[in-house]
Amino acid sequence: MSPRAGLDRNKIVIEAAQIADEHGMEGVTLAALAARLGVRPPSLYNHIDGQAGLRALLAVYGLKQLYEAMSSASQGLSGSEAVLAMGKSYAEFAKQHPGLYEMTLEAPDADNAELNEEGGRVLKLIISVLAPYKLSEQGELHAVRGLRSILHGFASLEQKGGFGIPLDVSVSLSATIHAFLAGIDRFRE
């Protein structure tokens, strides 16, 4: 069976990402995706390796999109300005693309070189933005974990409506990132 004209892997991944953002990852089924694309579910197998393959493609796509957002936001900046811009773009990405963001959180698969490469690009970007703080290699990784935990926690709470007090959320995020940076010397030890 030949692939349907106009249908390709990229189009499938973009549509699946939209479903994920609208309905969560649970909503991304081959049946829902096929219906949205106007094809029968078996037609998808010409382009993807089933549900597991689709999830892996979404994870790679999500990491690429997250990297682009964070890289663009921090480009040309350094120090706290770069960390702040990158952190805000991370939280904004999670807010705008909740389902796709969820896919970026999956543990790397040792057998998926592309997924590991994209995850590595995100890691290297964060490390490069933290470079002015002159942390040891081990300190950099601790700092990346800490910053990622703060940003993920903040984004998750915001998504779930956890910030109900009428206070500017962006000011809270900025203050939290600055507090993290004020203590970054702890990662030099």
Side-chain angles (χ1 to χ4, degrees):
M1 176 182 279
S2 64
R4 180 174 179 234
L7 187 62
D8 60 29
R9 180 178 286 190
N10 189 52
K11 184 173 183 174
I12 290 169
V13 170
I14 289 171
E15 286 297 325
Q18 290 178 353
I19 293 170
D21 289 341
E22 293 167 6
H23 304 288
M25 278 312 300
E26 304 79 36
V28 182
T29 64
L30 295 180
L33 181 57
R36 187 145 173 173
L37 291 166
V39 299
R40 294 180 39 230
S43 298
L44 297 175
Y45 287 93
N46 291 318
H47 306 280
I48 61 171
D49 188 20
Q51 188 73 26
L54 179 60
R55 289 182 70 87
L57 290 170
L58 281 169
V60 168
Y61 179 73
L63 286 168
K64 285 180 180 180
Q65 297 300 310
L66 179 60
Y67 173 86
E68 290 302 323
M70 291 177 9
S71 178
S72 293
S74 59
Q75 190 170 21
L77 302 174
S78 66
S80 64
E81 287 181 344
V83 177
L84 186 62
M86 182 183 66
K88 285 182 174 182
S89 70
Y90 182 104
E92 188 61 27
F93 178 85
K95 183 177 180 179
Q96 290 180 357
H97 304 285
L100 190 56
Y101 170 70
E102 181 182 339
M103 290 305 307
T104 69
L105 302 174
E106 297 214 358
D109 176 356
D111 296 330
N112 189 328
E114 190 176 14
L115 181 60
N116 290 317
E117 180 181 332
E118 292 306 323
R121 284 180 69 211
V122 171
L123 176 64
K124 287 176 187 172
L125 173 64
I126 297 170
I127 288 172
S128 72
V129 169
L130 293 173
Y133 296 96
K134 303 197 183 313
L135 305 174
S136 67
E137 187 175 333
Q138 189 174 16
E140 286 174 343
L141 296 177
H142 289 308
V144 168
R145 285 179 176 173
L147 183 58
R148 183 176 177 216
S149 297
I150 289 167
L151 297 174
H152 172 69
F154 198 95
S156 295
L157 286 168
E158 186 176 19
Q159 275 183 349
K160 302 290 183 191
F163 299 134
I165 297 170
L167 186 64
D168 189 336
V169 175
S170 66
V171 173
S172 296
L173 178 58
S174 294
T176 302
I177 293 171
H178 282 298
F180 170 80
L181 292 174
I184 204 163
D185 287 342
R186 302 282 299 169
F187 295 114
R188 288 197 183 109
E189 299 172 357

